[in-house]
Amino acid sequence: MDAHMEELRRLSGRPGQTRRARDIMHPGTECVGENDSIATAAQKMRDLGVGSLPICGTDDRLHGMITDRDIAVRCIAEGGNPREVTARDLAQERLFWVEASADVSEVLRVMENHQVKRLPVIENRRLVGIISESDLARNLDDHRLAEFVERVYATS
């Protein structure tokens, strides 16, 4: 455990402190509205150059996530009309997130245990960012990144 904590301190660049989710997340994440069509979600993904979007409700809170794969497999391949199917209709059933104050080891634990590649970051019950694989690649050493990839992409 001491070696793991030392690695996190080294990665933080701040002696005696560990990095937090807020330190490695991509801030300013845009949402798609829960009542927006899948076509709108797909256009937003294209415009932002991303493969997933958080789904936010009228209460400005996180209600789910949707991926480009959800659109292709669960809407288009099933014969759904992307102009009629809403983001809420395709929201992934289980949603995982971390608090902005969570340390990097907690971020990795959640992502690895649930095999998710993108993790919303919440602060004061509001979405403040997302942590993706590219954020991890910029913030982890090669060994720890390889462990993450093995655990998330491993077939059960």
Side-chain angles (χ1 to χ4, degrees):
M1 186 65 167
D2 289 336
H4 181 66
M5 291 306 293
E6 188 57 38
E7 176 188 354
L8 289 174
R9 285 186 191 104
R10 185 181 58 75
L11 291 173
S12 74
R14 296 173 291 179
Q17 294 182 349
T18 56
R19 294 194 80 179
R20 304 286 174 195
R22 75 170 53 85
D23 298 327
I24 68 169
M25 71 181 190
H26 179 83
T29 302
E30 290 194 37
C31 291
V32 63
E34 66 182 343
N35 296 316
D36 287 345
S37 72
I38 293 306
T40 299
Q43 290 164 351
K44 191 171 239 187
M45 285 182 197
R46 177 202 61 208
D47 295 346
L48 295 171
V50 297
S52 70
L53 286 171
I55 301 170
C56 294
T58 55
D59 58 359
D60 197 32
R61 302 243 168 115
L62 182 65
H63 285 233
M65 290 287 290
I66 188 167
T67 67
D68 48 8
R69 179 169 168 73
D70 293 328
I71 294 170
V73 174
R74 297 177 54 215
C75 180
I76 306 300
E78 297 291 325
N81 182 337
R83 300 207 186 288
E84 294 174 3
V85 176
T86 66
R88 179 186 326 116
D89 296 333
L90 294 188
Q92 295 174 350
E93 291 180 19
R94 294 191 67 199
L95 180 62
F96 304 101
W97 71 90
V98 292
E99 291 287 333
S101 60
D103 65 41
V104 172
S105 62
E106 174 69 5
V107 168
L108 292 169
R109 187 190 65 75
V110 171
M111 293 178 84
E112 291 169 352
N113 287 350
H114 301 290
Q115 294 187 309
V116 295
K117 299 171 189 102
R118 301 163 189 101
L119 189 65
V121 180
I122 305 294
E123 188 168 49
N124 298 322
R125 298 192 207 186
R126 300 275 191 249
L127 178 70
V128 294
I130 293 242
I131 297 173
S132 68
E133 294 166 300
S134 62
D135 297 313
L136 296 179
R138 284 190 298 274
N139 288 282
L140 298 178
D141 67 36
D142 291 343
H143 174 73
R144 187 62 187 98
L145 184 61
E147 285 179 352
F148 167 80
V149 169
E150 183 178 329
R151 291 176 181 158
V152 169
Y153 288 95
T155 55
S156 301

